[in-house]
Amino acid sequence: MAANSRKAEPAPSTGTPTERARTLEQLLATKEIVISCGSGGVGKTTTAAAAAAMAATHLGGKVLVLTVDPAKRLANALGLERFGNVETRVPDSAFAAAGIEPRGELWAAMLDTKQSWDDLIARHAPDTKTREAILANSIYQNISGRFVQSHDYIAMERLYEIHSSGTYDLIVVDTPPTRNAIDFLEAPDRMADFFSSKLLRWLTAPSKSRVMNFASKPFYTVADRILGSQFLADIAEFFGLFQAMAPGFVERADAVTKILADKRTTFVVVSTLEAAPLHEAEFFIDALDERKLHLGALVLNKVLPAYLRRTATTGVAKRLCADADELAASVPDAGDAADTARVLATIGESFLNYQVVAKREAEQRASLARTPDVVAAVPYFDADIHDLAGLLQLGDQIWR
Amino acid sequence: MTALLDRKLLFVTGKGGVGKSTIAASLGLLAAEQGKRTLVCEVDAKGNLADFYEAGETAFAARELQPDLWAMSMNTEESLKEYLSLQLKIPLLAKIGPLARTFDFIANAAPGVKEILTIGKVAWEVKERHYDLVVVDSVASGHIIGQLTAPQGINELVQVGMVRNQTQWMLDILTDPAQTGVVIVSAPEEMPVAETIELAERLNTETQVDLAAVVVNRVLPELFTEREEALFDSLRSPERVEALTAAAGGDVTPVLDAAELAVTLRRTRAGHLATLRGALDPALPLIYVPYLFTRSHGARATRKVAEMLSEEL
């Protein structure tokens, strides 16, 4: 647990724990788990990686970024060929290439859903026979490999496991793309419900006593007609095997739920200023509030530059469109006047086009009902990030 | 190859944030205005569809929003009830009561149940010829394979029973390129392009469902020809900026900066577009939808995209 020493003595800049963080730097200095969430395509993974890289550079300690489906480019940016379920250290050479000497260490891992499930089964199975039977069960294979919601639970489970190992000072988690952003918050509870439900007990009861059960008979009759008895038998076997692990799973799921609500955990909501992602971000902020979970920061990506909203420039752009020929004549030795006029009209029109979008985004931003203390806006720099320097450059935009 | 809107069933998918629902809503609108009786079905229950048409909320029961345009939201529990009453002739809701309570649980645990109820419902509408075209605003690209392969998966898992008997006609519809196609919506950015290429390959190797088209949304306009761009660069010299500022009656620097930003954005995106074009089968229709510089997101934007699609199709 020596690695946790950083938390024992709060950095001077963060002040007392009651003082609220005003920057991402202050926020991350006081937390052990940061969960990055938001709808797909808003730069969630890159934001998580950038925040982790900044923390490793400036705060020190061991920092892990746990991602779900990283772009190959992100692995390359971290100086890694690829990374998998096992944590890999980002080499010093990657930092050196960026001209940085980090105070701490940066580690990266990717969530391999299937592998994590298999590990989990291995841990909870009471004996080898049960373990082998579960791993071979066709329903288990389907659930662990394909079942969409299993990603949500396993991501939180893996986070819990890594956190409780005490290896890292800070873990930044990139959440899986979900149909609904709050799915993964509810995943541990759902898992616990699943194992303690009456239905599970009923399904796993011997079929004779099932027939005796008056209330469930119609259900079984219908289910049998729809799904066929073999399939039901497969399900029953699967649940039967799983039941042996139920107490362990329930306990574990409860612990995972607790860690989400722990004061060492914070959530960073990532969005762009487009309507749909922002709507989802607001929904998520409300969901966090409802569950009394800590909303630490809002990161707004791809924000258009402020100069696009200047009303003084609107008139200039309009003049460029309307009086292009006249203005072209005023430019000293610009070559062909018709060409110049066309260019002036084009840039005037382009400015007005982008102004519409910039104003729309500003309105969207202003309409946010509830925002955390830390709100960071990242300008629209479309150059793709392909090294650690690029990641840290992005990190600079959100850090202070 | 069957023209896009002449198919019977289109699954519109794509990475989050690329405007998948906009394209689905616009394709539906376009088909309806061409006189096809069209159903647009929203699958992931975010309630977005209502926003795109601004015609009130949608429910499981399809509702006619305007002549020939119908809309519904998928609800797997409702789908199961409908299926039971239609297929198994189980009329008594009382018997379905305990089923409904435990349904979510079973659906979560048994693989493919939710997926099959979704696919089954839309395929049913096609089979019964209730509509000329069903457009599904489907799940995001990460989940679409699971959804499309559900009938096959059920076929393998469930050896007997009524569900098994039901999957064959679904497969017949899904695997017929004259009837069914997938539309991947992409954007000229790195991750959407990477996901589109990956999904196109997976559709080919893991499913027998035909990829009908790739729609690239939000394509930025090319501002300049090469010659014009050189000219634009020359306009940035201090004395020219000064002359233009004086003539235009205000600082032109922000206008020049904005144009430079537009050129940079377009250039980066052109690279991603080239990657996409290079990776896809040249015979596959690649449809470009320009970026919309508008204030609105609602029905007007949907109409505008429909007009653009109409020109491209």
Side-chain angles (χ1 to χ4, degrees):
Chain A
M1 288 300 231
N4 276 330
S5 59
R6 197 184 88 217
K7 303 301 176 213
E9 298 168 66
S13 64
T14 60
T16 58
T18 49
E19 202 174 289
R20 299 166 85 163
R22 294 287 164 193
T23 63
L24 200 65
E25 179 179 30
Q26 291 168 1
L27 179 71
L28 265 53
T30 58
K31 299 294 176 186
E32 291 177 21
I33 294 176
V34 178
I35 299 174
S36 161
C37 41
S39 64
V42 297
K44 205 168 34 175
T45 307
T46 311
T47 303
M54 290 301 282
T57 304
H58 299 289
L59 298 176
K62 279 182 84 170
V63 181
L64 173 71
V65 54
L66 175 62
T67 105
V68 179
D69 185 21
K72 203 163 176 289
R73 180 176 52 78
L74 182 63
N76 293 342
L78 294 172
L80 305 167
E81 274 294 302
R82 59 191 175 86
F83 49 101
N85 217 27
V86 177
E87 304 108 81
T88 315
R89 183 170 174 190
V90 174
D92 280 337
S93 58
F95 279 97
I100 298 278
E101 205 176 306
R103 292 184 58 192
E105 298 172 7
L106 179 61
W107 293 67
M110 189 186 92
L111 184 75
D112 179 334
T113 307
K114 174 79 180 141
Q115 187 58 46
S116 301
W117 269 110
D118 290 355
D119 292 349
L120 195 62
I121 298 300
R123 192 173 323 114
H124 286 303
D127 51 63
T128 319
K129 205 177 141 218
T130 312
R131 189 186 72 210
E132 295 305 318
I134 290 176
L135 295 181
N137 184 286
S138 67
I139 303 223
Y140 168 74
Q141 287 172 354
N142 254 288
I143 289 184
S144 58
R146 278 207 324 205
F147 181 39
V148 173
Q149 289 182 347
S150 75
H151 296 276
D152 304 340
Y153 178 70
I154 210 71
M156 294 302 110
E157 155 69 35
R158 183 106 166 86
L159 167 65
Y160 173 79
E161 185 201 333
I162 294 174
H163 181 256
S164 49
S165 78
T167 313
Y168 298 95
D169 296 287
L170 178 69
I171 305 168
V172 184
V173 195
D174 167 35
T175 51
T178 50
R179 291 181 194 191
N180 185 329
I182 58 165
D183 273 354
F184 73 88
L185 291 181
E186 292 172 344
D189 271 345
R190 269 203 313 268
M191 191 58 68
D193 284 351
F194 177 90
F195 279 106
S196 40
S197 79
K198 275 184 191 160
L199 186 75
L200 181 61
R201 261 176 277 153
W202 170 77
L203 267 171
T204 52
S207 47
K208 270 183 192 161
S209 61
R210 213 184 291 157
V211 176
M212 297 299 286
N213 186 329
F214 178 74
S216 56
K217 194 181 173 201
F219 169 73
Y220 189 74
T221 313
V222 171
D224 197 31
R225 282 181 67 188
I226 302 169
L227 296 168
S229 47
Q230 179 56 46
F231 185 54
L232 277 191
D234 282 351
I235 292 184
E237 188 213 36
F238 168 68
F239 286 149
L241 291 165
F242 249 61
Q243 207 179 30
M245 306 188 298
F249 256 98
V250 172
E251 196 183 306
R252 187 80 166 190
D254 285 346
V256 175
T257 302
K258 280 203 187 76
I259 196 75
L260 291 182
D262 195 284
K263 64 181 192 319
R264 293 167 296 178
T265 302
T266 191
F267 289 80
V268 171
V269 176
V270 185
S271 183
T272 62
L273 285 170
E274 281 170 83
L278 206 58
H279 184 75
E280 184 118 349
E282 279 198 287
F283 175 73
F284 194 80
I285 288 171
D286 286 344
L288 289 175
D289 191 60
E290 221 170 82
R291 290 167 178 74
K292 301 205 177 351
L293 300 174
H294 187 261
L295 170 64
L298 173 66
V299 174
L300 299 168
N301 275 327
K302 299 184 186 173
V303 176
L304 286 170
Y307 66 73
L308 286 171
R309 302 199 305 272
R310 281 174 46 174
T311 36
T313 312
T314 314
V316 176
K318 281 183 176 161
R319 272 213 72 188
L320 288 175
C321 295
D323 307 327
D325 291 325
E326 187 193 320
L327 291 170
S330 72
V331 184
D333 6 284
D336 185 68
D339 275 355
T340 310
R342 209 163 49 243
V343 168
L344 292 180
T346 303
I347 65 172
E349 194 194 337
S350 180
F351 180 89
L352 295 172
N353 274 338
Y354 276 88
Q355 185 167 62
V356 170
V357 179
K359 283 190 170 168
R360 180 181 79 204
E361 292 189 353
E363 279 167 29
Q364 297 273 15
R365 184 172 174 175
S367 71
L368 280 173
R370 200 194 319 246
T371 52
D373 291 336
V374 181
V375 179
V378 183
Y380 209 139
F381 55 106
D382 203 53
D384 297 325
I385 292 167
H386 32 68
D387 56 16
L388 198 55
L391 211 51
L392 290 166
Q393 203 187 338
L394 178 106
D396 274 330
Q397 303 284 342
I398 54 177
W399 194 238
R400 288 195 173 100
Chain B
M1 199 178 65
T2 314
L4 195 62
L5 297 183
D6 288 337
R7 301 198 196 211
K8 304 290 170 214
L9 179 58
L10 292 176
F11 291 93
V12 182
T13 183
K15 184 177 166 57
V18 297
K20 170 176 73 69
S21 300
T22 308
I23 300 298
S26 303
L27 281 172
L29 181 65
L30 182 60
E33 294 195 336
Q34 289 179 1
K36 292 181 203 300
R37 195 177 151 86
T38 306
L39 171 70
V40 181
C41 172
E42 174 188 48
V43 160
D44 57 1
K46 281 184 180 165
N48 285 345
L49 198 53
D51 297 342
F52 289 107
Y53 291 128
E54 295 181 52
E57 290 202 1
T58 50
F60 182 72
R63 187 164 62 85
E64 191 168 19
L65 305 180
Q66 68 177 60
D68 289 325
L69 181 62
W70 298 68
M72 66 166 286
S73 300
M74 184 55 67
N75 176 322
T76 43
E77 199 176 315
E78 293 290 332
S79 175
L80 178 65
K81 282 185 191 166
E82 184 179 275
Y83 171 77
L84 291 176
S85 57
L86 279 171
Q87 297 289 305
L88 303 178
K89 314 273 186 285
I90 300 176
L92 290 177
L93 274 173
K95 284 193 180 171
I96 297 170
L99 187 62
R101 273 206 304 280
T102 50
F103 165 74
D104 215 37
F105 181 84
I106 282 283
N108 278 328
V113 170
K114 274 194 172 170
E115 284 81 1
I116 197 95
L117 286 167
T118 300
I119 293 282
K121 166 69 179 173
V122 294
W124 172 255
E125 299 296 336
V126 172
K127 181 172 177 259
E128 295 297 303
R129 301 186 183 284
H130 290 152
Y131 301 92
D132 297 319
L133 173 67
V134 178
V135 178
V136 186
D137 178 8
S138 202
V139 287
S141 43
H143 306 315
I144 185 77
I145 297 280
Q147 194 164 75
L148 292 175
T149 53
Q152 192 62 47
I154 293 275
N155 238 352
E156 286 159 17
L157 274 172
V158 187
Q159 299 302 321
V160 290
M162 292 212 173
V163 163
R164 164 88 198 208
N165 302 338
Q166 293 295 327
T167 50
Q168 194 52 52
W169 65 262
M170 287 184 205
L171 285 169
D172 289 344
I173 290 174
L174 289 176
T175 58
D176 176 7
Q179 294 194 73
T180 303
V182 175
V183 175
I184 308 179
V185 182
S186 193
E189 289 167 49
E190 188 192 22
M191 288 303 284
V193 161
E195 259 189 44
T196 302
I197 295 169
E198 190 195 328
L199 181 60
E201 280 170 16
R202 289 189 66 196
L203 279 171
N204 192 25
T205 53
E206 294 174 39
T207 78
Q208 293 177 321
V209 187
D210 188 50
L211 175 58
V214 169
V215 176
V216 188
N217 198 13
R218 299 184 189 145
V219 176
L220 290 173
E222 181 89 82
L223 284 192
F224 304 128
T225 62
E226 221 168 284
R227 194 163 56 131
E228 286 170 341
E229 196 169 333
L231 207 156
F232 167 71
D233 287 339
S234 77
L235 288 178
R236 305 227 62 172
S237 75
E239 69 269 22
R240 289 186 177 128
V241 171
E242 205 177 301
L244 263 177
T245 295
D251 187 7
V252 294
T253 313
V255 182
L256 294 167
D257 287 346
E260 200 160 303
L261 177 72
V263 168
T264 313
L265 290 178
R266 160 82 198 185
R267 190 170 298 147
T268 321
R269 285 159 182 238
H272 297 309
L273 267 183
T275 308
L276 181 65
R277 260 197 313 271
L280 296 175
D281 179 354
L284 182 74
L286 196 54
I287 300 159
Y288 300 103
V289 176
Y291 189 95
L292 273 191
F293 292 101
T294 57
R295 285 181 51 81
S296 63
H297 278 284
R300 277 185 59 214
T302 307
R303 173 158 304 279
K304 201 141 187 209
V305 173
E307 282 164 14
M308 290 165 171
L309 281 169
S310 153
E311 284 168 25
E312 289 269 329
L313 287 175

